[in-house]
Amino acid sequence: MVNWPDYWNPKTETMPREELQALQLLKFQRTVQRAWQDSPFHRRLYEKAGVTPDQIKTSEDIQRLPFMTREDWMECQAEQPLFGDLITRPREEAIRYHLTSGTSGRQPLRVLDSRKDWSWIGEQWCYGFWGFGVRPTDTVFFAFSYGSFIGFWGAHYCTEKMGCLVLPSGNMNTEGRVKQIVEMGATVVCATPTYALRMGQVAEQMGIDLKKDGKVRRVIVSGEPAGSIPATKKMIENMWGAKCGDTAGMTEIGTIMIFECEKQPGGTHIIEDHFIEEVLNPDTGEPCDYGERGERVVTSFGRGFIPLIRYRTKDLVCKVPHTNCSCGRTGDIFEGGILGRVDDMKLIRGTNVYPRAVEEIVREYPEIEEFQIVLTREDNIRDEITVQVELQPGYSDDNWDGLQTKLGSDLADNHEGLRFNVTRANEGELPRFELKAKRLQDLRDQ
Ligand SMILES: [Zn+2]
């Protein structure tokens, strides 16, 4: 047995916080300087705010700089197609082009990466994969479409870099994927949390017991907040007989900025030698304390083509100190990973409803295979919230009434008594997702 080290980058991952913060300041100053020189977009932004790079002298000075938003980015792209004037290098120097997955009606963001950027992107994933116990002897299966969405692309190169045996599966359907995972003895599987559950369900239908017939010991998820919901994780772990670890990234960064370590502290470590992750009150922009929920605002040091400085992500997070984990890493933790989106809160008859909170409750019921949340407006006045659930094949009708009542009351108890309608969908009726799951339909404005 090889005695592998515990950390991918022991020096920075266990660096005392004071040194870490000094390193961040140095990298921050360089990043701002570079953006000022090479990105007309940033130069314009800073000139308008009356700040110059030489005014950044302490860590607190980050607050002098204006935010960067997705809207600004889209606008500069529309004015100067295809990439806007925030790219710092001529297009010829790029080796990769990707697009945000985009929601309907929105223009996707277009991103370019150089060879150096691409190697940095893989490196960030290495922190996460190594941190969750992946080693060069592993066989890693990617349940991923390998398309224009950046998704697990960087993770693919990370596992190659580590020396794992890598199994891509862009062309396969779910049955084919399950078969290959078993046949090749994959030890690590990467997917969205929703799709990890889906593969488990399909395996069961195929008569395959992943715990006995498969060799998977780690399921690494990304792409949805559900990766840190305890009940969802537990379902995945029980199905696969493996530990399930969360990671999160975004196309605007190109890679991940947080990952769960093997100690599974109930959250994800921030890769602080490559990112500054601020948590701010979304309304006032004031910094939040540890333990307070707010919006993630990210600065990335590594992507040369696209400077990302104080970018408002609209992700909802809650930062806690690194001492909440026993692994020895000094990077702070987002408790519960990405908690949702600042703007995905729905107001139903005066009560706040977050889709993630609903999922946390629904996933306590292992007999529920898939679900949807539907919002409607009755008689033009009264908002109704309905949770449609699809049950496991072969579920006995006799138990339905009890489940319907219990789920309805669990949901109400967690939402100030708000009444939820719970209805049963037919087998195979609800949509299944491979990429970002969309489980909420708001039909109120139609
Ligand atoms: Zn840890």
Side-chain angles (χ1 to χ4, degrees), residues 261-265 269 325-329 333:
C261 71
E262 280 202 283
K263 301 284 181 196
Q264 297 192 290
H269 286 283
C325 186
S326 58
C327 73
R329 286 181 181 79
I333 295 167

Side-chain angles (χ1 to χ4, degrees), residues 2 21 45 68 75 142 147 174 198 221 367 374 401 428 431 437 440:
V2 187
Q21 279 155 358
L45 201 65
M68 175 180 169
E75 200 180 302
F142 285 96
T174 309
R198 179 75 194 134
V221 295
E367 55 274 57
V374 185
D401 284 352
L440 185 131

Side-chain angles (χ1 to χ4, degrees), residues 414-432:
N414 283 281
H415 291 88
E416 301 166 354
L418 179 72
R419 188 187 67 251
F420 282 72
N421 307 301
V422 176
T423 62
R424 184 172 174 180
N426 294 322
E427 201 177 314
E429 184 185 334
L430 298 181
R432 300 297 201 270

